[in-house]
Amino acid sequence: MALRDTIAAKKVPNPTDKHVGARVRMRRIMLAMSQEHLADALGITYQQVQKNEKGANRIGASRLQQISQILQVPVANLTHGA
């Protein structure tokens, strides 16, 4: 019974992943950049950007570096407060 409950339970995003994603979204919106534009610059789909911003997908270190360059902000600004 407990195994079924574990499998059926929704996966909750890690708070740190949610925080970093929210910071990426905030900066992207400040630059009036669409998810599609950011996705094209990263070579990924806009759905992946959406999942990153919601914290559903963890952003790796190299991807975070790419994002920071595209958004013209230091990596530390995207992780500040995490």
Side-chain angles (χ1 to χ4, degrees):
M1 189 76 143
L3 179 59
R4 187 178 341 177
D5 293 338
T6 303
I7 293 170
K10 284 188 175 183
K11 192 171 182 183
V12 178
N14 181 292
T16 301
D17 296 335
K18 283 181 70 171
H19 177 80
V20 171
R23 300 279 296 183
V24 168
R25 179 177 170 80
M26 179 180 68
R27 179 63 180 164
R28 178 182 60 75
I29 291 170
M30 285 175 65
L31 296 175
M33 182 183 295
S34 69
Q35 287 179 334
E36 288 138 353
H37 183 83
L38 179 57
D40 288 344
L42 292 168
I44 61 176
T45 65
Y46 78 91
Q47 290 98 332
Q48 287 175 293
V49 170
Q50 194 172 50
K51 287 182 176 184
N52 287 340
E53 290 182 352
K54 289 183 178 182
N57 284 356
R58 182 167 291 156
I59 303 174
S62 59
R63 174 70 40 85
L64 192 58
Q65 179 66 36
Q66 282 182 297
I67 292 170
S68 74
Q69 290 172 352
I70 294 164
L71 298 180
Q72 304 167 4
V73 66
V75 172
N77 284 23
L78 300 176
T79 60
H80 181 74

